[in-house]
Amino acid sequence: MKKILLLSLNAIFLTAGLVACSSSKTNTTFKNDKDIFSLQAVTGMSMLSSYEGTAHINKLLKRSNERSDFTEEQVTKIKEVLPTVDLLLDNETTFLSHVEEVNVEIDGKLYETKEEITFLNNDLSSSSYLLFYNIIEEKVEEDEEIEEKKDMEGIAYIDEETYYPFISKEEKEVEDDEVENTRKFMILTGEKSYIEIKEEYSYESDEVEQKLHYEVVQDNQKIVDYKIKIENENQENEIKVEIGEMNFKVEREIFEDTYIYKISLKDDETNQMVTLKREILEDGTISYDIYE
């Protein structure tokens, strides 16, 4: 029987924009279909399974009186988006996927494919999610252009007891040395509630562009809407997140086991700065505190 999790607005209300790079990472673009599917599944499902940790982060912020150029609201928003940025930078293309054919019945429906996705969590421990689904594929070749479509429908487990239905739709066009790919991954959290990640990927010569559009809808109301854009040229990349008019630039530096984030707000009038440090607490939650 499905266990229902209540969506926490503080945990998923990511209303900031940023550019991220890591001194220890040089290529974060997810190029193949399995990496893209794993990326969407892991980041979307992590939004469901990390509410307690984010709530703890917010408690730490309310107790904090450290000085910064940012408002408390801006720092809160930055802290909430950093776990998703860390998932991208820490995993690169290291998602491990094990797929097998099965014949499993869940809630009266048969599923033919089982997939386990293993990845590095925010505390750098190994974690995994389990999915059961069915696939419908279609391929059309016309002249020098190939069009492929893949629809997936199934169940995504975030732990042994808790699961949600999901759908995934992919369309790919290949012509000469140009590739365009779009994929939508949606986790259905209620009758009028869902998390959706739309992905657009294009490759031409040595230039790669990838865009991820995250939306969270609760009771038919959109509460999260932001885009992550990954650009790669000459094996160097940057990650941009755009929401509304706000844009942050984030530089992540790693000194042994210490993660430092140098963050600046870029707009027409200001050049504000704040530095955060990531810590793993004794209970396993993650905190991002102002670092001076």
Side-chain angles (χ1 to χ4, degrees), residues 4-15:
I4 301 298
L5 296 182
L6 295 179
L7 295 178
S8 166
L9 298 184
N10 288 335
I12 54 180
F13 194 73
L14 311 178
T15 54

Side-chain angles (χ1 to χ4, degrees), residues 4 69 86 222 250 287:
I4 301 298
D69 293 337
D86 280 337
K222 187 182 297 184
V250 176
S287 74

Side-chain angles (χ1 to χ4, degrees), residues 217-252:
V217 173
Q218 186 175 34
D219 295 329
N220 226 21
Q221 298 293 319
K222 187 182 297 184
I223 59 174
V224 173
D225 187 357
Y226 67 96
K227 297 178 182 178
I228 299 177
K229 186 176 182 182
I230 304 175
E231 294 180 338
N232 179 280
E233 187 173 358
N234 299 324
Q235 298 302 308
E236 295 184 359
N237 64 266
E238 64 179 10
I239 300 176
K240 300 177 180 179
V241 178
E242 303 173 357
I243 300 181
E245 300 294 326
M246 299 181 68
N247 289 279
F248 293 93
K249 179 179 180 181
V250 176
E251 296 180 2
R252 191 183 78 165

Side-chain angles (χ1 to χ4, degrees), residues 178-199:
E178 297 182 17
V179 179
E180 293 185 1
N181 188 80
T182 60
R183 185 197 289 269
K184 179 175 72 173
F185 185 92
M186 180 183 293
I187 303 172
L188 306 175
T189 58
E191 184 177 351
K192 298 180 180 179
S193 303
Y194 58 86
I195 294 175
E196 181 179 85
I197 303 100
K198 297 177 183 176
E199 185 269 349

Side-chain angles (χ1 to χ4, degrees), residues 37 102 104 106-107 109-115 131-137 150-156 164-170 183-188:
F37 177 74
V102 294
V104 175
I106 302 175
D107 290 344
K109 186 168 185 177
L110 289 175
Y111 295 100
E112 299 176 349
T113 303
K114 173 185 175 181
E115 179 170 358
L131 299 92
F132 294 89
Y133 54 83
N134 296 320
I135 305 173
I136 299 177
E137 294 182 281
K150 180 189 290 186
D151 291 346
M152 303 167 66
E153 182 177 347
I155 295 294
Y164 292 89
F166 79 90
I167 58 175
S168 175
K169 295 182 178 292
E170 178 188 8
R183 185 197 289 269
K184 179 175 72 173
F185 185 92
M186 180 183 293
I187 303 172
L188 306 175

Side-chain angles (χ1 to χ4, degrees), residues 31-49:
K31 293 185 177 181
N32 62 61
D33 295 343
K34 288 306 301 175
D35 284 336
I36 293 169
F37 177 74
S38 297
L39 167 67
Q40 290 179 306
V42 166
T43 55
M45 294 169 70
S46 293
M47 295 174 76
L48 288 170
S49 60

Side-chain angles (χ1 to χ4, degrees), residues 124 254-260 277-280:
L124 300 182
I254 303 174
F255 302 98
E256 296 181 349
D257 295 329
T258 302
Y259 285 64
I260 302 295
K277 177 183 178 181
R278 184 175 87 172
E279 291 189 70
I280 302 176

